[in-house]
Amino acid sequence: MDIERQQEIAKQAAATTPAHSSDRPSVLAALQRENTDWAGEVIQAFGEITIVVPRGRLVEICTFLKTAPGLEFIMLSDLCGADRGPEEDPRFEVNYQLFSVTKHYRLRLKVLLAEDDPHVPTVTGVWRTANWHERETFDLFGVVFDGHPDLRRILLPDDWQGHALRKDFPLRGYEPYSLT
Amino acid sequence: MAATLPPQFEVVDRPLDTQMTISMGPQHPSTHGVLRLELVLDGEMIVKCTPDIGYLHTGMEKLFEYKKFQQGIVITDRMDYLNPLGNNLAYVMAVEKLLGLEIPERAQTIRVLMCELQRIASHLVWLGTHALDIGAMTVFFYCFREREKILNMIEAASGGRLTPSYFRIGGLMMDLPAGFERRCQQFIDKFLPAVDEFHTLLTGNRIFQRRTQGVGIISAEDAIDWGLTGPSLRGSGVNIDVRRTDPYTGYEQYDFEVPIETGCDVWARYIVRMRELKESHKIVRQGLGRLQPGPIKADAPKVVLPDREAMKTHMDALIHHFLIVAEGFNVPAGEVYHAIEGSKGELGCYVKSDGGPKPSRVHFRGPSFINLSALPLMAEGEMIADVVAIIGSLDIVLGEIDR
């Protein structure tokens, strides 16, 4: 391998060194500086930051996190729902795993939803990859993403009854499913 | 009559020269499993492409909630069945993060070694089937010849070829068998000439070049916006590899390059994977050199099964063994997301525990699932024959998409 190539690799490696954990609270600070209501409860555990955000401001917050210089969470790694159980209130949560392509750190946003009002605004306008994730969460949990361009079931058949990943849905279903 | 048919079979009265809707799959061999595409065609050009998935949905994420933490490992094998060790690793590391376990050096080295062997095996299946889809049949046999050697090694280590479940929470199932290092050394000594052989079969082939160059274009901005990861993203010139951005199991100590191509087309993704074969080979070689004798399980008797010999001679080991098998172990309440670089992209595992022996929620971010969602963007405006090449270049596995 020639020297230039080696130097190039070394430069690449230096450019992609992970951000130190001391940089991470700056995300939180930036959020609070922008608007004090945005960051609700903040959980720092297992080396990860989770911010519980109010449902109504979700799209605003996501847009800010995506575009603000120094943050640039331009990739949505993952979006998944979770059910805390029928006796809990709020019952559902939707988790957004954000990834900053330039700074290489991760952040989790969490929205809590009550059982009788499982609506959350869509973030497909911010990250288009959210499209299938939101369809999956709708399919399995029954969380409705308002404003989604194509909110249909994705994994289960269109005529499926119920939402399979809810805690009160039995493991083997209510009755044998037949395609005919 | 037509009124009683379900909407998808309804006969629509159109003149012959307008658009036609065809259903490609789910039994089409080049859709790599049971993917169904609904294609609206204008002549041979694709106007609209709608993927339809779910034919292989088996409710794995539901099943996790009914199994103990250590029982979940076998479910992960069955997701991306071409990269089972990668799935094991993502899940196991997420649980280890919750437990705060420290993994011994030797176990980490073996994990890297096995994961890279698995990545080579996965890429070989991709290469063989991708070439087969486009019409080059010979490559398939050459790839499977090499893959067989890797599967034999995985079988020797774990007992399973496609479903190894080799990584366990806190370490490994067992140590490498005698003679493994020699076998692995023999394999890597002969692997680089084999890669050159693949190149002579395919890379210089004019037909293959014409079928792949300039097809299935996705720009870097679109690729990030659609959440593409892995070789599909690096084929668009974005330098993101979880092994570099978020190093795990000691990847930061290995010297390897992250291949980047800027072509944004099927050809670029092909070249990225071909170069990754050589990079993985490099990591395997380094991993072999790093193997030092030492423990392969973490020092956590309440989580990790004791050795057989200790179990038979020590009372406390017997009690721990009984409790782990019969009742499982409690995992501290909390939630984590751990991402690794699977063979197809960022393989993330979200685990939520409420403090008991069973997880409250396990979610897998399957890279194939996200990569496939960008298919319409790449396929629309192309010829119908190119869809096959584009699907091949995304390297999807339906087991992981449908879960």
Side-chain angles (χ1 to χ4, degrees), chain B residues 139-177:
Chain B
V139 194
F140 186 78
F141 301 104
Y142 282 74
C143 290
F144 271 59
R145 181 193 66 195
E146 295 303 315
R147 176 178 180 251
E148 196 62 21
K149 298 175 188 167
I150 299 179
L151 290 191
N152 285 342
M153 278 192 274
I154 293 175
E155 186 183 14
S158 69
R161 289 159 62 81
L162 286 175
T163 53
S165 296
Y166 186 52
F167 303 151
R168 297 292 161 89
I169 296 160
L172 306 172
M173 181 178 84
M174 56 201 287
D175 208 340
L176 293 175

Side-chain angles (χ1 to χ4, degrees), chain B residues 20-24 28 30 37-48 211 215 379-391:
Chain B
M20 177 167 89
T21 305
I22 66 160
S23 179
M24 181 173 167
H28 196 287
S30 70
L37 297 175
E38 209 173 280
L39 301 172
V40 179
L41 301 175
D42 183 0
E44 271 196 82
M45 185 134 87
I46 295 165
V47 180
K48 192 170 188 315
R211 285 294 306 276
V215 172
E380 283 167 13
E382 302 279 2
M383 297 293 189
I384 182 165
D386 293 333
V387 177
V388 172
I390 298 169
I391 294 174

Side-chain angles (χ1 to χ4, degrees), chain A residues 75 99 101, chain B residues 218-241 259-264 268-269 272-273 276 341 344-346 365 371 378 393-394:
Chain A
M75 189 185 253
F99 178 64
V101 172
Chain B
I218 183 162
S219 69
E221 291 78 35
D222 280 341
I224 293 175
D225 201 24
W226 279 97
L228 254 60
T229 45
S232 310
L233 178 63
R234 294 192 284 273
S236 293
V238 183
N239 183 3
I240 291 183
D241 185 317
I260 310 286
E261 292 288 327
T262 49
C264 307
R269 298 192 274 275
V272 166
R273 287 200 182 85
E276 274 192 5
E341 183 74 18
K344 291 155 190 73
E346 179 184 321
R365 182 237 195 252
N371 291 356
M378 287 182 249
S393 79
L394 288 175

Side-chain angles (χ1 to χ4, degrees), chain B residues 15-35:
Chain B
L16 277 174
D17 58 347
T18 55
Q19 296 174 347
M20 177 167 89
T21 305
I22 66 160
S23 179
M24 181 173 167
Q27 276 90 12
H28 196 287
S30 70
T31 54
H32 293 235
V34 285
L35 167 68

Side-chain angles (χ1 to χ4, degrees), chain A residues 5 16 46 48 77-78 81 93 95 101 106 108 110 128-129 133 136 154 164 166-167 169, chain B residues 53 62 97-98 222 225-226 240 244 246 257 335 337 346 350 352 360-361 363 365 370 403:
Chain A
R5 186 96 196 107
T16 53
F46 309 104
E48 298 180 5
S77 274
D78 190 21
E93 47 187 60
N95 296 302
V101 172
R106 291 175 190 277
R108 175 165 47 241
K110 189 189 280 288
R128 277 180 289 172
T129 177
H133 284 303
E136 187 193 334
I154 187 165
R166 289 190 174 189
K167 292 282 184 197
F169 192 91
Chain B
I53 61 173
K62 181 83 173 170
K97 206 170 182 180
L98 278 170
D222 280 341
D225 201 24
W226 279 97
I240 291 183
R244 276 277 157 74
D246 261 325
E257 195 187 328
E335 53 187 338
Y337 175 82
E346 179 184 321
Y350 171 83
K352 184 163 182 268
S360 152
R361 169 90 167 107
H363 172 79
R365 182 237 195 252
I370 320 296
R403 297 185 297 269

